[in-house]
Amino acid sequence: MTERPKLVASRAPVPTPSHPNLGTPERLVSLAAGSLLIANGLRQGGLKGLPQLLLGACATWRAYSGTCRIKRAMTHSPFEQTFEQDRDWDGSNVISRSITIGKPREAVYAFCSDPANLGALMPWIDTIEQTGERTYRWVAHGPMDKTLHCDLEQCEPKEGRKLHWIAGPDRRFKHDIQMHFSDAPAGRGTQVKVIVACETPLGAAGYALAAAISRFSDKALLNVLRSIKQQLETGEISTNKMRDPQTKDFLFVHPASSATRAPANDLPTDKSELNGGTV
């Protein structure tokens, strides 16, 4: 029997009337509920019956079209299902982005393998502390001046090909972050693909919440990849945002006493160099 190829990416199809995501029992329930709501709304009339008419119309349309955005938002993609099986997670939310950088793979890999280089491109990161030979604590400033931190452990890398970080074993929420490096076609440089996965608690409700949050995380991940591309290709990052000099957006790295850290690749050490139009 031929082994099925490993699934490396997937995109959930958008539900349409020609490709519904509701089964027959679900459509019948929606039709019955919508009919009852419409009938009761007409009986009551006025402003009191209007909400029931609207809900009934939505339920009836849901039954007719066979599509439901809420169900789609709470349905795991095939890649997430495969990821959960491989990691033995109850649930997961996965985002993935890729970009092509016009530099040799070895140079891109060397830059990304140093957390100081990556952290310097993330304005929400305050500090990175090296707590062990391959463990780092990332500290970020969150909403309402809350301080957030995450302990990440770097797994054995595949030299020049893959970087892999996982959340520490004592963390409540598990994270899995991978960076894959491959030669771009026609000698155009290096293709970098990043996969960020987190375990989602609370079943379907937790997955729906994580999926909503990941919309912002997906944009942030793309911005980081674009910053890496600009930094490696041009030596600076263009921005049209003016920053407050008091904003804590610079990276400080504190190596563990028992571990050595490779020096940053010529990153600026004066915070004033990071204020203004370029990083």
Side-chain angles (χ1 to χ4, degrees), residues 135-216:
T135 56
Y136 298 86
R137 169 166 289 189
W138 294 63
V139 181
H141 53 269
M144 302 178 64
D145 292 330
K146 296 291 184 180
T147 300
L148 309 174
H149 69 270
C150 181
D151 295 318
L152 294 178
E153 177 182 352
Q154 184 172 356
C155 301
E156 186 69 30
K158 293 182 179 179
E159 195 65 30
R161 293 289 181 180
K162 178 182 177 181
L163 293 170
H164 190 188
W165 300 271
I166 59 174
D170 57 339
R171 300 300 299 169
R172 181 178 180 184
F173 300 108
K174 299 178 182 178
H175 289 78
D176 191 297
I177 305 171
Q178 303 176 32
M179 293 188 74
H180 298 263
F181 306 85
S182 59
D183 296 323
R188 293 188 294 113
T190 305
Q191 187 177 43
V192 181
K193 181 175 182 178
V194 181
I195 301 173
V196 180
C198 67
E199 187 179 28
T200 56
L202 305 178
Y207 176 80
L209 177 61
I213 296 175
S214 69
R215 296 184 179 221
F216 302 97

Side-chain angles (χ1 to χ4, degrees), residues 6 54 70 122 132 165 221-222 224 238 271:
K6 183 178 180 181
L54 294 176
I70 296 177
M122 304 177 189
W165 300 271
L221 177 59
L222 179 59
V224 171
S238 302
K271 183 176 180 179

